[in-house]
Amino acid sequence: MAARPHPSPLSRVLLALALVLGGGQAAAAADPAAINASPTLRKIRDTGLITVGYRLSSPPFSYLNLDRQPVGYSVDLCRQVVQAVRQRLEMPDLEVRMMGVSSATRLPLVANGTADLECGVTTHNVERESQVAFSLTIFVASSKLLSRKDAPVLSLDDLRGRPVATTLATTSIQFLQAENRRRGLEMKILAGLYDIEGFRMVTARQAAAYAMDDVLLQSLLAEAPDSADYMIAPTPLTSEPYALVLRKGDPVFKRLVDEVLAGLYRSGEIQAIYAKWFQQPIPPRHINMQLPMSPALQRVIAHPTDSPDPAVYR
């Protein structure tokens, strides 16, 4: 029998990382070398604290319940990550600090290390990769236009020379600004700090439409007593792959987060988590979104990806 070749030093390093980060019994023990190679894990170990950013008012992904506690689909996924960090660092008493963030502060707070993880409604795109890193995709939305039925807006052409609302520091405002310049639409773009502010501009007739991700528009309408007075245009403006936000340049921590998500996808646990927030009554008003899992998200679960390319999700 021929002698088996010895693995190269690089192969041995990769194998060690795979054992540490790949799940199962080999991943149970803390590996000092792998932890020291991760700025995020090292900081968490040294401080005894993990800081998780969440959105205050983006149901059903991330918001506050009546007890002022953060809950939601994205929050549940982040709690799974926190538990994996506890196990990896062998720190069962690891303190968790939940930090409220907005669309404007979420990326800077992760980029500067104030937050170790952000769980909200953040779209993964190439531009944002210059500041932060992203997990596997956790949801796929489409940006659309919401308007009043008595003054319907079906496309950007209907907004030529008119005011349109959106939310500050989102991909939707970036899209509107780019299209405004490219097509000379002369729209007046109004930006609120939170999603509810953009919706209120339409209800008050300050804006002809509100541009935002379809699932967030549906959530706003689900809680509006006069929801029958509004409509969402059927044609999507963009595809929006959501992901958890991580510190840039920390592949060890990213691998840990991705393994947690991939494990939920493989086991089927993601189905129950999804149903809990999108197909069952949720607090505080026990509204049911009645939103089946989209074919795009089903493909992500079957074949996990962290691609920022919208074409991957069409």
Side-chain angles (χ1 to χ4, degrees):
M1 180 181 295
R4 296 177 64 182
H6 293 289
S8 68
L10 176 59
S11 297
R12 288 195 294 270
V13 171
L14 293 176
L15 177 59
L17 280 176
L19 289 173
V20 172
L21 300 173
Q25 295 300 317
D31 183 294
I35 292 168
N36 287 331
S38 165
T40 306
L41 289 176
R42 190 169 64 245
K43 169 179 172 282
I44 294 169
R45 179 198 61 192
D46 293 346
T47 61
L49 172 72
I50 182 170
T51 302
V52 179
Y54 70 94
R55 298 291 294 274
L56 285 79
S57 57
S58 296
F61 294 91
S62 181
Y63 65 104
L64 294 173
N65 63 15
L66 289 178
D67 295 324
R68 305 296 294 173
Q69 296 300 310
V71 296
Y73 174 76
S74 302
V75 174
D76 276 2
L77 298 183
C78 278
R79 293 193 191 282
Q80 295 277 347
V81 172
V82 169
Q83 185 58 28
V85 171
R86 283 194 172 109
Q87 294 173 354
R88 186 65 42 81
L89 298 179
E90 298 180 341
M91 298 176 68
D93 297 325
L94 177 67
E95 182 182 351
V96 182
R97 175 186 295 163
M98 302 299 290
M99 173 184 290
V101 300
S102 69
S103 57
T105 63
R106 54 187 168 173
L107 300 187
L109 288 173
V110 174
N112 68 20
T114 302
D116 301 305
L117 186 68
E118 191 265 343
C119 44
V121 287
T122 303
T123 297
H124 178 188
N125 62 21
V126 172
E127 181 181 357
R128 287 174 170 171
E129 287 181 345
S130 65
Q131 303 177 64
V132 293
F134 294 88
S135 71
L136 294 175
T137 298
I138 63 169
F139 192 85
V140 184
S142 298
S143 180
K144 293 184 179 180
L145 294 168
L146 177 147
S147 61
R148 301 185 67 95
K149 285 184 179 178
D150 60 7
V153 174
L154 300 179
S155 69
L156 290 183
D157 289 327
D158 295 336
L159 289 169
R160 187 177 295 274
R162 303 172 70 189
V164 56
T166 187
T167 304
L168 189 67
T170 61
T171 52
S172 292
I173 194 170
Q174 293 171 349
F175 174 79
L176 290 176
Q177 290 169 339
E179 289 299 291
N180 212 22
R181 291 191 299 267
R182 185 177 72 85
R183 299 171 56 182
L185 295 172
E186 298 184 354
M187 296 182 295
K188 181 181 180 182
I189 301 172
L190 309 175
L193 182 59
Y194 299 105
D195 296 330
I196 189 64
E197 295 175 5
F199 179 51
R200 286 171 178 162
M201 291 181 201
V202 177
T203 63
R205 299 185 185 271
Q206 296 171 334
Y210 175 43
M212 188 42 58
D213 300 349
D214 53 359
V215 64
L216 300 179
L217 297 178
Q218 290 164 358
S219 175
L220 288 167
L221 289 183
E223 297 200 23
D226 56 349
S227 60
D229 294 341
Y230 301 90
M231 59 169 285
I232 300 173
T235 304
L237 303 175
T238 62
S239 292
E240 307 288 332
Y242 291 173
L244 307 181
V245 183
L246 325 169
R247 186 186 302 188
K248 185 177 175 64
D250 192 341
V252 173
F253 187 63
K254 173 173 164 52
R255 176 71 181 273
L256 184 154
V257 174
D258 286 350
E259 279 297 326
V260 170
L261 296 174
L264 294 174
Y265 298 173
R266 285 192 303 268
S267 69
E269 291 178 70
I270 192 65
Q271 302 291 341
I273 296 173
Y274 182 93
K276 173 184 174 182
W277 295 104
F278 295 94
Q279 297 179 295
Q280 297 173 16
I282 63 173
R285 296 177 58 191
H286 305 291
I287 291 170
N288 189 338
M289 295 272 297
Q290 300 184 31
L291 186 65
M293 189 177 289
S294 68
L297 183 55
Q298 291 177 29
R299 290 194 297 271
V300 166
I301 290 170
H303 305 285
T305 178
D306 64 355
S307 174
D309 184 359
V312 169
Y313 304 95
R314 294 185 187 132

